[in-house]
Amino acid sequence: MNRRRFLRTVGATGIVGATVGIAGCGQFTDESNAGQTEACGPYEPTVSGSTGWQTVGGDPAGTGVVPASETPEPPLSLDWTYILGGMAGAVQPVATAGRVYAHEYDSLLCAVDATSGEKVWEKRVESPHGPLAIGDDVVVALAESTVLGLNPETGETRWTVSENYTGLFRGGPVVVDETVYVSTELSLLALDLADGTVRWKHTTGEETVATPAIVGETVYYGDYDTYVYALDAATGEEKWRVKTNAHIDCNVTVADGTVFAGNPDGIVHAIDAASGEHTWTYDVRSDPNVLATDGSHVYVQTDDQLYAVEATTGVSCWSTESTGAGVAVGDGCVYTPLPVEEPESRSLPGVLNAATGEKLAKTQGEFESRYARYYKGSAVVDGAVYASGVDEDGISLARFS
């Protein structure tokens, strides 16, 4: 049986040159790893973010930005862990102020109380896939051949939609108002959130596995056919499409009238959201697994690096080592999995200065296992960071604040 552990934190990481108690990452300094390039302009974010981390990209536009009032002040400390069990894999969690939702890629979906770490419900589902998404009255989950609408309080199934395939590791659904947008084997679907009715289907003939982004009346997504698409959110009618240099399986993110997309060969594309015209490209030379943007920077996360690129020009601003998947940005901070070498090599949620990439804080709590690693996140909600990973008892979910 899966067990919940409530752990009392007894340690917090040191911060080189930090003034603890002053809000905002811009107040912290670490001259040992400052790396902003001279070519990069001033850090001036334009995206304010939204409350709740209700899809894998935070908000429907996939920006990964949260309001300053929602962000925890570094350093971070461990509050609790919840063991799901199994060893199939960890998924990036989604959360509201009251609930956190995740699964372990084998058979178990769970809802956990955000404050206590206690189980709210667990549900057996055959081969859950990808991240979940939260609507007002429905939690949307993906399985190998099914899209499920669940009661967020009980886990009871409200509706199912049969599909041949949904993305195993990358794409997650996105809920906007009364519609949920889902990437499936060969199509992007728009489903009625209340009953799962298919409103429209956009089919390319190639795999559609990436998380879409929705801004206003337009849905943006990238596809294995190498194109980035802009669709009418109500009808699915194509507004434009633009060809890139390779297939796309990473999310797109949108801010200030620009769509950002990335190919597995490392090319990041900035595309005008209205016309589909290319603005700039930037080469990170590795497969992006997460894109986010606060309007000042585009954050490009690969398996081992996090890059910050100027959103308007594509000029490199900084890069640093990162070991996981998940980027949240707020109040001048970037929350993301970072490598920790002591006492054991592992990944834990850490904090960077968004303007410079300086490493500000790494989490150190009293974990019950030295094998504990939390490399899938970071969902930032109501002053806490939620991340998933693994320890000796299997896949685990944790809260840090």
Side-chain angles (χ1 to χ4, degrees):
M1 180 179 295
N2 295 303
R3 299 180 291 115
R4 182 204 54 90
R5 301 173 178 180
F6 192 86
L7 303 178
R8 180 173 299 174
T9 302
V10 297
T13 189
I15 304 177
V16 180
T19 305
V20 177
I22 300 177
C25 280
Q27 300 294 335
F28 293 85
T29 60
D30 180 357
E31 296 300 332
S32 65
N33 65 354
Q36 185 181 23
T37 64
E38 293 184 1
C40 187
Y43 176 66
E44 297 175 344
T46 60
V47 180
S48 59
S50 57
T51 300
W53 196 273
Q54 296 180 265
T55 186
V56 66
D59 58 19
T63 65
V65 178
V66 294
S69 61
E70 294 279 303
T71 59
E73 185 178 332
L76 301 175
S77 58
L78 177 66
D79 295 330
W80 52 253
T81 64
Y82 182 94
I83 304 299
L84 287 83
M87 296 298 292
V91 69
Q92 292 164 263
V94 293
T96 65
R99 298 282 188 272
V100 190
Y101 302 89
H103 64 74
E104 34 72 284
Y105 278 108
D106 183 13
S107 62
L108 188 69
L109 298 172
C110 75
V112 177
D113 184 273
T115 301
S116 68
E118 297 282 354
K119 179 178 73 174
V120 177
W121 53 259
E122 292 180 343
K123 182 181 182 66
R124 295 289 172 180
V125 174
E126 183 178 356
S127 300
H129 283 188
L132 295 85
I134 307 169
D136 288 341
D137 298 308
V138 179
V139 171
V140 181
L142 308 179
E144 186 167 353
S145 58
T146 311
V147 184
L148 302 96
L150 307 176
N151 184 316
E153 296 301 320
T154 66
E156 179 184 359
T157 300
R158 289 183 167 172
W159 51 260
T160 61
V161 176
S162 296
E163 281 297 323
N164 293 332
Y165 174 78
T166 55
L168 179 58
F169 292 116
R170 293 211 176 183
V174 179
V175 175
V176 179
D177 297 326
E178 298 304 315
T179 304
V180 55
Y181 301 89
V182 184
S183 299
T184 64
E185 183 176 23
L186 298 177
S187 304
L188 182 73
L189 299 181
L191 307 177
D192 188 290
L193 186 62
D195 59 13
T197 300
V198 178
R199 291 181 170 174
W200 54 256
K201 177 184 292 190
H202 185 263
T203 302
T204 68
E206 294 285 349
E207 284 189 283
T208 303
V209 299
T211 304
I214 297 88
V215 178
E217 299 177 351
T218 305
V219 179
Y220 304 92
Y221 80 102
D223 195 80
Y224 251 58
D225 69 354
T226 75
Y227 284 88
V228 176
Y229 290 88
L231 310 178
D232 185 282
T235 66
E237 181 180 352
E238 192 173 302
K239 294 184 175 182
W240 54 254
R241 62 176 175 169
V242 59
K243 186 172 177 57
T244 68
N245 53 299
H247 71 258
I248 300 173
D249 54 13
C250 182
N251 70 295
V252 297
T253 180
V254 185
D256 300 331
T258 303
V259 182
F260 304 99
N263 300 119
D265 58 2
I267 303 299
V268 179
H269 302 260
I271 301 166
D272 184 274
S275 67
E277 296 181 358
H278 267 94
T279 303
W280 53 257
T281 60
Y282 181 81
D283 189 358
V284 298
R285 297 180 176 84
S286 186
D287 185 4
N289 55 46
V290 175
L291 296 180
T293 183
D294 55 17
S296 185
H297 292 164
V298 181
Y299 303 93
V300 185
Q301 190 170 51
T302 67
D303 286 341
D304 58 6
Q305 291 284 315
L306 178 64
Y307 299 85
V309 180
E310 193 169 54
T312 54
T313 65
V315 169
S316 174
C317 292
W318 53 261
S319 66
T320 191
E321 187 177 8
S322 176
T323 52
V327 177
V329 188
D331 199 23
C333 298
V334 177
Y335 300 85
T336 191
L338 296 176
V340 177
E341 300 301 328
E342 298 293 340
E344 296 285 338
S345 178
R346 63 174 75 179
S347 295
L348 293 173
V351 188
L352 304 172
N353 185 305
T356 65
E358 299 160 9
K359 297 179 180 69
L360 303 176
K362 297 177 183 179
T363 303
Q364 290 183 350
E366 187 180 321
F367 294 89
E368 290 188 10
S369 167
R370 67 178 183 174
Y371 300 102
R373 290 157 173 79
Y374 291 92
Y375 51 88
K376 285 291 184 72
S378 304
V380 176
V381 180
D382 196 28
V385 177
Y386 300 94
S388 296
V390 63
D391 75 5
E392 62 184 358
D393 291 326
I395 304 303
S396 180
L397 175 67
R399 169 184 161 127
F400 305 84
S401 64

